[in-house]
Amino acid sequence: MLDIDAVRAQFPILSRQVNGKPLTYLDNGASAQKPQIVLDTIQRAYGEEYSNVHRGLHTLSTISTENYEAVRGTVARFLGAPSEEQIVFTTGTTEAMNLISYGWAAPRLEAGDEIVLSVMEHHANIIPWHFLRERQGVKLVWVEPDVNGDLDPQAVLEAVTDRTKMIALTQLSNVLGTVVDVKTICHAARERGITTVIDGSQAAVHMPVDVADIGCDFYAITGHKLYGPSGSGAVFIRPERLAEMRPFMGGGDMIREVHRDTVTWNDPPMKFEAGTPGIVQTIGMGAALEWMMDLGMDQIAGHERILRDYAREQLEGLNWLNVQGRSEDKAAIFSFTLDGAAHAHDISTVLDKKGVAVRAGHHCAQPLMEHLGVTATCRASFGVYNTKQEVDVLVDALELCHDLFA
Ligand code: PLP
């Protein structure tokens, strides 16, 4: 069992007040807070060790480069990737998906080829494929979750035709909390020669991930949800796909030689990392991932299961609250609307007055909102530092909303 008081003590921001109330931070699905070790690492990287990477031969450049490159190994360990050479750094999942779209899919997919995706996807895992639809006539094939929010792997596989070139799925819905059995899907897809892209933005925060076991071709993570800095992230890419990819962004670092009439590329992964990267962001992400691995991903998942069960029980007691997504094994992410006219934004504003931070809106998942028949929801998303007492604070604040708006 994790000592949650000790975990919380590592997050300076958690001891602040908001609107005169102790902060109850339940917006982890949007972005997580940062532990002291990450703040210290950023401070040291800028204050004592800073220089550009991969360029200078001087001492600081060497230290910076070593610290930055060491994170590739950390990410590989965190994701169960066989080699750090299969890890490309990004600024987050949005960049990863665009890299895959421009670098791998655009040169390969032709008019009439199909991409299967679920209506639960975040826009980051939709728009790059819409580009291919608009520009190249690629067809997007949508699969829906069932009434509980579960996505049946068989439904995904039944959507596959002989024109399917790619399946792009989230492993964990940022709105419903549903965990998708991506392993079954990826293994079946691989047998049929279909490329799989997994959005691990949420899953990697809440559960252990092993890309070798999942069997996917691409797996994207984003540092800011993993208790690390914004503007950091990484994508695991299977070596066969890496070899097939053309560069996405052009500039420094991704080249070997440039002449007036010709250019040759650096080897992967640097072939896909143009320009000065997010040096300190990446180093900070490395500290965050080490911190998570030290806590233990099983321990984190275990604590969040306790929170999920308690929150589920408490929220079910509010018979005027409509929780979206009732998957048994969901993560501790609860999207809800209130009976009556209250808009999600109004609810979120009242909660904020009580110091409770939640997200209100479409959560960058408009196809899912359409599927659910709502325009917006409020979302309380829990992280490793949250407590049962904070569930109680949320419930009290929701009761106040009900009193105000009912
Ligand atoms: N995918 C999912 C499931 C997300 O929840 C998010 C962020 O909300 C993203 C992708 C986008 O990630 P990033 O902020 O790194 O671009």
Side-chain angles (χ1 to χ4, degrees), residues 308-328:
R308 175 203 62 194
D309 291 345
Y310 185 66
R312 177 147 55 195
E313 194 184 299
Q314 298 306 307
L315 296 178
E316 270 171 10
L318 309 176
N319 58 14
W320 34 264
L321 196 81
N322 312 306
V323 176
Q324 304 283 358
R326 293 175 181 276
S327 174
E328 194 55 32

Side-chain angles (χ1 to χ4, degrees), residues 29 92-94 122 124 170 172 174 199 201-202 222 224-225:
T93 297
T94 300
H122 185 281
T170 185
L172 201 162
N174 64 316
D199 177 350
S201 305
Q202 298 287 343
T222 183
H224 71 97
K225 296 186 204 285

